[in-house]
Amino acid sequence: MSVQERKERDRANRERLIVATARELAEQQGWDAVTTRRLAERIEYSQPVLYSHFRGKREIIGAVALEGATEMAAALRAATSAVDGHHARVAALAHAYLEFAERNPAVYDALFQLDGGLAFAREDTPEPLKDAFAALLETLGEVAGEGVHPALFTELFWSALHGLATLTRAGRVLPEGAGERLDLLVERLAAL
């Protein structure tokens, strides 16, 4: 391995360490606890080293969001590929989405609540974000209905899932009705 290759490998490893540490800290204590000073201390590098990878917290949030989008897409595809039929795939997708949001609140916030400097729904949207949307579209596009644009229907269904995830986490809806709400969403909104 050349010196240059080793330097590139070490840089990539440091970057992964920064993102993993930020994510871990955010999951444990919330995003307010994630500061460049605290990250530098935890990874045992100086702040200038951290800044050589990311210009600040916003870019770190963006990196966590991109990693999370990749994980979400994989979780959605795994859930929908394990079942047969439109109804079962939509239900599996909805459950997997809400489970991802519940298990990964800091990542979910990085994706959808915080400013990570990422473009959504544009030409320059990063590939992991496009792929996460595609994972929704693959299943929801099947049930959009005649004359309904599949991407538009997917956005509407996704909005409902996001609302459920956000309201549930904030304690704004009763936890006892979670299953019933999700069943109603799948049955009525997807007209199955």
Side-chain angles (χ1 to χ4, degrees):
M1 175 181 297
S2 74
V3 171
Q4 183 61 31
E5 289 171 331
R6 191 180 89 256
K7 284 182 180 182
E8 288 173 14
R9 183 197 63 205
D10 290 347
R11 181 173 175 75
N13 286 339
R14 267 193 317 274
E15 193 164 303
R16 281 192 294 277
L17 178 62
I18 293 166
V19 172
T21 304
R23 183 176 173 167
E24 178 183 314
L25 188 57
E27 292 291 0
Q28 291 171 351
Q29 300 177 31
W31 278 104
D32 287 342
V34 179
T35 64
T36 54
R37 176 175 293 174
R38 187 175 268 172
L39 284 174
E41 288 170 4
R42 284 205 174 195
I43 64 171
E44 299 178 348
Y45 284 99
S46 68
Q47 282 184 290
V49 170
L50 193 138
Y51 282 115
S52 74
H53 290 274
F54 299 99
R55 286 183 289 199
K57 183 174 176 177
R58 182 178 187 219
E59 283 189 4
I60 294 168
I61 290 169
V64 170
L66 293 176
E67 186 176 271
T70 299
E71 293 170 10
M72 178 186 284
L76 298 177
R77 287 188 175 109
T80 57
S81 69
V83 295
D84 291 323
H86 297 307
H87 181 273
R89 280 195 295 278
V90 172
L93 175 103
H95 283 281
Y97 184 94
L98 294 177
E99 286 171 15
F100 181 88
E102 184 180 347
R103 279 192 328 268
N104 305 284
V107 172
Y108 194 82
D109 285 349
L111 270 164
F112 303 119
Q113 305 287 81
L114 302 173
D115 179 10
L118 303 173
F120 283 79
R122 296 189 341 211
E123 280 298 314
D124 60 339
T125 298
E127 225 25 71
L129 299 178
K130 288 180 181 179
D131 190 50
F133 184 77
L136 292 165
L137 181 62
E138 290 161 9
T139 295
L140 295 171
E142 298 174 353
V143 297
E146 193 172 321
V148 177
H149 192 283
L152 185 64
F153 178 78
T154 299
E155 288 174 346
L156 178 62
F157 199 94
W158 172 30
S159 298
L161 289 174
H162 176 70
L164 284 174
T166 304
L167 291 171
T168 300
R169 188 163 130 208
R172 301 291 195 259
V173 293
L174 295 173
E176 307 77 69
E180 215 173 313
R181 268 185 228 97
L182 195 54
D183 290 345
L184 184 60
L185 174 65
V186 169
E187 294 297 327
R188 299 297 171 95
L189 191 54
L192 299 170

